[in-house]
Amino acid sequence: MTDYVSTLSIDIGLIGPELALLIAAAVILLLIFTRKADRFATAIGLIGLVVSMVLTVRQWDVKVGGFSGMVTVDQFAVLFKLLFAVASGLTLLLAERYFHAKHIARPEFTALLLVSTMGMMVMAGTTDLIVIFLGLEIMSVPLYVMAGFNRRSLESNESGIKYFIMGAFATGFLLMGIALIYGASETTDLRRIVTDFSYIATNAKLFLFTGAALMMVGFGFKVGAVPFHSWIPDVYQGAPTPVTAFFSVAPKAAGFAALLRIFAYGLKDLGALSDVWWILAVLTMTVGNILALRQENVKRMLAYSSIAHAGYMLVALAVGGADAASAVIFYLIGYTLFNLGGFTVVALLETRAGSRADFSEMAGLSKAHPYLTATLALFMFSLSGFPPTVGFFGKFYLFSAAVKGGFIWLTVIGVMNSFVSVYYYLRVVKVSYFDQIEGRFVPAPLSAGVLFVLIVTAVGTLGFGLFPDNVLEIARRAIQAFA
Amino acid sequence: MADYLFLIPLLPLIGFLINGLLIGRLPKPVISLVGCLSVGGALLLALLAFFELKGLPVEARVMQQVLFAWIPSGSFHVDIAFLLDPLSAVMILVVTGVGFLIHVYSVGYMHHDEGYGRYFAYLNLFTFSMLMLVLANNFLLMFVGWEGVGLCSYLLIGFWFEKKSASDAGKKAFIVNRIGDFGFLLGMFIIFWQVGSLDFATVMEKAPTAFSFGGGLITAACLLLFVGAIGKSAQIPLFVWLPDAMEGPTPVSALIHAATMVTAGVYMVVRSNVLYMMAPDALLVVAIIGAATALFAATIGLVQNDIKRVLAYSTVSQLGYMFLACGVAAFSAGIFHLMTHAFFKALLFLGAGSVIHAMSGEQDIRKMGGLRKYIRITYLTFLLATLAIAGIPGMSGFFSKDEILWQAFSSGHGSPIFWAIGLVTALLTTFYMFRLVYLTFHGTERMDTETKHHLHESPRSMTVPLMILGVLSVVGGWVGLPAVFGATNYFEHWLDPVTAKGSELVSESVHASGGGNAGLEMTLMFVTVLLVIGAWMLARYMYVRHTETATRVREKAGGLYTVLLNKYYIDEIYGFLIVRPFVGLSTFFWKIIDVLVIDGFVNGLARLGALSSDLLRFVQTGRVRSYATLFAAGVVLVIGFLILR
């Protein structure tokens, strides 16, 4: 592996994965006037994603920079880009069925999804704060539109607007934070901040702290940390379910990619932050779990559950160090699979006429769809962290890193929170297996795309749970990029 | 070599999967074919493995096959691996051989049963578990098989679960066995704690250095393992489940509760013989429990009236015999008796099954009599087995029983008292077995006319296994002719590689004493045979010639007879001393501790969670401005915390 070679060169090959998505999105937008554009849009989108993934995988063993140090390709970036592409592809397959059933299928959706994914890739593939911000905006703007994509639905519109307002609000803080960091260090390149850290820390302490705090707030908003989480339930519930599924995994992963890059690499020596992360982690997991307890809507429950999971993952930032960082990457990989899987089942059930995805609608599910229910149960067990699913090992690695780092109380609180979460996850299992309904359960027809998504997520959830070592090894290699 | 070992347990497992997953969808002939062929295939492979092992030089007679690492957890490493040595070779032959015959027999016996598929699925699962038990190369995997056979035993005892007595008997067997399993586990823990491994080869290799000879730990480990054996092999005080286990179908009684599963305890003790040789006190306990059980169960067997219960107590008694052999460090004699017993006891049960089949389900011997005219083959084979268990010279049981008696008398761990108890048990055994034969097959026909009308010999699938087992009951003992006859005791030498290490530990030796006293051995044998024939004649006198004597004896010994008939009231005593206080305690835990304290606490917590959830929901107003306020407050707090700390 070659070391970072920071050059002025403009090497198009470095941004191949991003370009592939951009081209695919452009093609879709150009062909939008044709008939049945929404049909081939999905296909073009998938092709773009696959090409992007192939190009990404081929970058696994390089570690180079380009574009005057604005773009960095290392194993950390590669792993996250793959994760975004997978989440995006699965969402696309899921969305096709859902959007057709709801009669809101439009080719623009695919283009928006691709552009947003490209933004995430930009975020993960750089060490420069300005480029991270740029990526964040490229990611976010399409997301606002996607949230309000169901134009005829009041809730969807509300979701888009709320997300946009709160997002704009948070962006201001983030940008201010970056500005303060620049004021402290006269650079936006994290590599230079690392080299000059002791100098900056002694000469511009106030700027550094305030800047770091504001960046915590900005990305805390993206990953859904309490108290910057309040948009999540409303936005998640109002948005079309495939979009919600995407929200709950991809932007969250992108947020964590940026958080890790900044706080586990650039500002890793700023020890004072650990306490703040500690408080945020505890607040996030506790509030998320407690609020999830009494929800009657499965989508809203999953929204709060995603907050709680962000809380577990924030533990890694409080703990710091390579073990915790690789554990959180492992967690994100698993979480992406089983959370998308869970949302897929919900989205599928929602394609039935008049469904709002309330708990009560799941009664009798196991009789009508035995295999689907078993898969749903698998996802719920993984969400609550039962072995031998990947959800168990995610928590296991995360909490054992915390114990090794001496964060005993944080671990205790985390484990107790997991206990609480079992209640609402298993409630899904209980209702779908044991509750009786009047009359017959209206079945929800599967499509090949949805079936594929379910198989990939279920096999991953179980497979990575049975053989977690290899995935953890990959996560470790990704973190070595920081060394 | 030995790379096919894993197939031996795998075949019955496949049989189980086919019959189990396709329950209710396969026609009966397919079920029978799958069930029998899977065990038959395992038998062929077992024979192949046996002859391959036999072809090796004596010192090299060990084959191991490691399939994969099962639990690689730090210093705790357990493989899924199989061990074939002379001991396990004998066991797999017995299990697959007798098992195959019983599978075939079941085709006829269970033919009209609605749960035919379920029955064969369970039976194959049992065979799989039993083979795992005897082929495992470590204690933990053996324990898996141990639990597996326990589960199958439970399922098969309660096979006719709609009958309350059957499901109760299943539960009783399972619960009593759990007590033993607990001991087994604890014993295993001690071994792992001291030796750092559960692998048989490693444990036996390191035990002499890891433990001090006769020390407290090794004695505790051996006694705890023996508690497991007591449960599984129905010894005092945990034997109570076995007689009740007769609620299961008769072939099951033959396979599980006579020939194979119940002997697992004996197998385990012999497998751990090195450990037991290091703990003479534990060995003495084994001998005492064995001898006591042998005598105790035999006395109960004298007066029982249910054909299967007589055989059940006889099994308990014979298992006691095997433990007596182990307890006097005559491990090969124990296994030898295990083998011959598997033949003749399986035959006795299958014969009893054939009788019950002929009698339209009647099991009470007081309502039988004179059956020999109607079911000739069953009668003759049953008689052969009776001669074998009684120890009539030339029959298999004679050689194995004589071996045990002589070792009990002469071994370094033996004593004339053990010999005397063994002898009395042998006489009692002869008596109750011939009593059974005479009451069932001879004398007046006491059944009602309806039953008599239906009397018929069983189908070929049942009688052929009877005949094969009949032959084995006769010749099965010839592999272990006593050395005193000038013959070579193949069987003892066959097991030498397994027992050698243990006997080296006590070099003042058990072996030396045997040879010198050929005259004494012959004398004792002669006395035994004479007395056994006497007991036979007594039974003949009481139940054939002068049937009124039996009644007179019963009246004379009124109190004793009642005690025996009620099995010393052991079940009642356990019920009073153990079950009742336990139920009381459980009720207390249930009504007070669980319902009030624990549920109260848990439900309180849940209510607290729900309450805080409801309170927190007020924050989630749905208004963007309140969200932004919360957000801004968060920003102030984070910055404030960082700067002011």
Side-chain angles (χ1 to χ4, degrees), chain B residues 215-284:
Chain B
L217 271 181
I218 182 78
T219 310
C222 288
L223 286 177
L224 285 168
L225 287 180
F226 185 56
V227 170
I230 283 177
K232 190 112 298 182
S233 298
Q235 298 295 291
I236 293 175
L238 297 182
F239 69 95
V240 287
W241 65 271
L242 187 57
D244 287 17
M246 298 303 130
E247 290 286 347
T250 306
V252 169
S253 311
L255 178 62
I256 302 186
H257 305 116
T260 54
M261 183 189 83
V262 288
T263 62
V266 181
Y267 166 77
M268 191 267 289
V269 170
V270 176
R271 177 55 79 200
S272 324
N273 68 79
V274 176
L275 303 179
Y276 280 92
M277 289 306 276
M278 288 190 59
D281 294 345
L283 216 47
L284 185 64

Side-chain angles (χ1 to χ4, degrees), chain A residues 162 165 169-170 173 213-214 217 221 227-228 230 233-234 272-273 275-276 290-291 294 300 304, chain B residues 609-610 612-614 616-617 620 622 624 627-628 630-632 634-635 638-639 641-643 645:
Chain A
K162 272 187 178 166
I165 295 175
F169 191 60
F173 288 98
L214 289 178
V217 169
F221 170 82
F228 316 112
S230 31
D234 297 356
L273 295 181
D275 290 344
V276 183
I290 288 182
L291 278 173
R294 297 279 273 180
R300 208 169 167 85
Y304 283 110
Chain B
S612 45
S613 188
D614 288 341
L616 266 177
R617 276 164 86 170
Q620 201 70 36
V624 176
Y627 293 173
L630 186 67
F631 192 113
V635 175
V638 170
I639 298 178
F641 184 89
L642 268 177
I643 293 176
R645 66 190 292 280

Side-chain angles (χ1 to χ4, degrees), chain A residues 282-297:
Chain A
V282 169
L283 269 181
T284 307
M285 61 177 93
T286 312
V287 168
N289 275 324
I290 288 182
L291 278 173
L293 284 178
R294 297 279 273 180
Q295 300 305 325
E296 289 303 326
N297 182 282

Side-chain angles (χ1 to χ4, degrees), chain A residues 95-416:
Chain A
E96 200 205 7
R97 167 93 187 84
Y98 183 89
F99 280 38
H100 274 103
K102 298 266 174 187
H103 307 293
I104 50 171
R106 296 283 303 160
E108 290 93 333
F109 178 79
T110 311
L112 288 167
L113 186 74
L114 292 179
V115 172
S116 178
T117 310
M118 192 200 89
M120 296 172 196
M121 290 188 170
V122 171
M123 264 174 99
T126 182
T127 55
D128 194 292
L129 291 174
I130 288 297
V131 182
I132 291 181
F133 178 76
L134 206 62
L136 182 84
E137 285 304 293
I138 301 175
M139 167 184 95
S140 301
V141 175
L143 291 182
Y144 303 145
V145 185
M146 282 157 72
F149 204 78
N150 190 355
R151 283 182 304 150
R152 290 184 204 89
S153 151
L154 208 56
E155 284 184 340
S156 183
N157 281 318
E158 180 192 333
S159 163
I161 291 289
K162 272 187 178 166
Y163 192 18
F164 173 64
I165 295 175
M166 291 305 292
F169 191 60
T171 304
F173 288 98
L174 176 61
L175 206 51
M176 187 67 194
I178 295 176
L180 286 172
I181 293 287
Y182 179 75
S185 60
E186 295 174 9
T187 179
T188 53
D189 190 341
L190 291 168
R191 283 172 293 180
R192 280 186 51 202
I193 296 179
V194 171
T195 3
D196 303 341
F197 188 77
S198 52
Y199 177 79
I200 302 167
T202 42
N203 291 305
K205 201 173 169 205
L206 191 63
F207 273 27
L208 185 63
F209 274 165
T210 321
L214 289 178
M215 286 199 298
M216 285 170 101
V217 169
F219 289 111
F221 170 82
K222 275 294 163 213
V223 302
V226 175
F228 316 112
H229 69 287
S230 31
W231 59 281
I232 286 187
D234 297 356
V235 172
Y236 277 28
Q237 195 180 7
T241 306
V243 176
T244 311
F246 188 66
F247 280 1
S248 71
V249 293
K252 202 174 278 256
F256 270 101
L259 281 174
L260 286 172
R261 193 71 99 172
I262 297 172
F263 292 98
Y265 169 66
L267 302 177
K268 62 176 179 296
D269 297 322
L270 202 61
L273 295 181
S274 174
D275 290 344
V276 183
W277 286 127
W278 197 102
I279 296 169
L280 287 183
V282 169
L283 269 181
T284 307
M285 61 177 93
T286 312
V287 168
N289 275 324
I290 288 182
L291 278 173
L293 284 178
R294 297 279 273 180
Q295 300 305 325
E296 289 303 326
N297 182 282
V298 180
K299 239 168 115 180
R300 208 169 167 85
M301 180 277 277
L302 284 174
Y304 283 110
S305 131
S306 81
I307 297 176
H309 280 275
Y312 303 134
M313 290 188 259
L314 287 176
V315 167
L317 289 161
V319 174
D323 271 0
S326 51
V328 79
I329 293 182
F330 180 94
Y331 200 109
L332 273 171
I333 295 172
Y335 171 78
T336 302
L337 291 171
F338 55 71
N339 212 43
L340 259 181
F343 269 114
T344 305
V345 180
V346 176
L348 186 67
L349 294 178
E350 252 194 290
T351 57
R352 302 179 305 146
S355 170
R356 301 184 59 246
D358 284 339
F359 268 98
S360 53
E361 289 171 25
M362 314 200 87
L365 180 63
S366 65
K367 301 266 168 27
H369 294 289
Y371 295 106
L372 185 71
T373 317
T375 324
L376 178 67
L378 173 72
F379 296 135
M380 290 302 141
F381 278 109
S382 191
L383 277 163
S384 37
F386 278 90
T389 60
V390 69
F392 167 76
F393 282 99
K395 286 204 175 80
F396 175 75
Y397 291 137
L398 203 56
F399 289 141
S400 55
V403 169
K404 263 187 223 152
F407 289 80
I408 306 295
W409 279 107
L410 189 53
T411 310
V412 169
I413 296 171
V415 172
M416 279 171 56

Side-chain angles (χ1 to χ4, degrees), chain B residues 122-352:
Chain B
Y122 288 166
L123 218 53
N124 274 357
L125 181 64
F126 169 78
T127 312
F128 160 73
S129 309
M130 190 68 205
L131 287 168
M132 290 298 282
L133 196 164
V134 295
L135 276 175
N137 91 329
N138 59 67
F139 277 102
L140 196 62
L141 190 58
M142 180 193 207
F143 190 65
V144 171
W146 186 274
E147 291 297 299
V149 292
L151 170 72
C152 296
S153 162
Y154 162 77
L155 291 173
L156 283 163
I157 294 171
F159 183 75
W160 290 310
F161 54 83
E162 61 282 2
K163 208 165 90 188
K164 186 165 181 340
S165 59
S167 63
D168 281 352
K171 278 186 275 183
K172 186 172 179 182
F174 202 74
I175 293 166
V176 171
N177 264 296
R178 297 309 302 169
I179 302 172
D181 296 345
F182 188 59
F184 191 117
L185 269 177
L186 290 179
M188 211 152 67
F189 292 162
I190 295 185
I191 291 170
F192 181 75
W193 171 37
Q194 288 298 307
V195 184
S197 170
L198 289 175
D199 179 66
F200 288 138
T202 320
V203 170
M204 302 314 156
E205 182 71 34
K206 289 189 181 164
T209 46
F211 292 102
S212 59
F213 187 89
L217 271 181
I218 182 78
T219 310
C222 288
L223 286 177
L224 285 168
L225 287 180
F226 185 56
V227 170
I230 283 177
K232 190 112 298 182
S233 298
Q235 298 295 291
I236 293 175
L238 297 182
F239 69 95
V240 287
W241 65 271
L242 187 57
D244 287 17
M246 298 303 130
E247 290 286 347
T250 306
V252 169
S253 311
L255 178 62
I256 302 186
H257 305 116
T260 54
M261 183 189 83
V262 288
T263 62
V266 181
Y267 166 77
M268 191 267 289
V269 170
V270 176
R271 177 55 79 200
S272 324
N273 68 79
V274 176
L275 303 179
Y276 280 92
M277 289 306 276
M278 288 190 59
D281 294 345
L283 216 47
L284 185 64
V285 171
V286 175
I288 292 174
I289 297 264
T293 310
L295 182 64
F296 183 77
T299 54
I300 301 179
L302 289 176
V303 299
Q304 296 302 311
N305 292 320
D306 181 312
I307 184 166
K308 284 180 74 181
R309 286 204 174 236
V310 175
L311 294 177
Y313 281 105
S314 162
T315 306
V316 174
S317 166
Q318 295 297 311
L319 288 166
Y321 241 88
M322 296 173 212
F323 280 112
L324 173 60
C326 295
V328 298
F331 297 107
S332 64
I335 293 293
F336 186 30
H337 195 59
L338 186 161
M339 184 180 83
T340 57
H341 175 257
F343 297 147
F344 57 67
K345 189 52 71 61
L347 175 53
L348 285 171
F349 268 110
L350 295 186

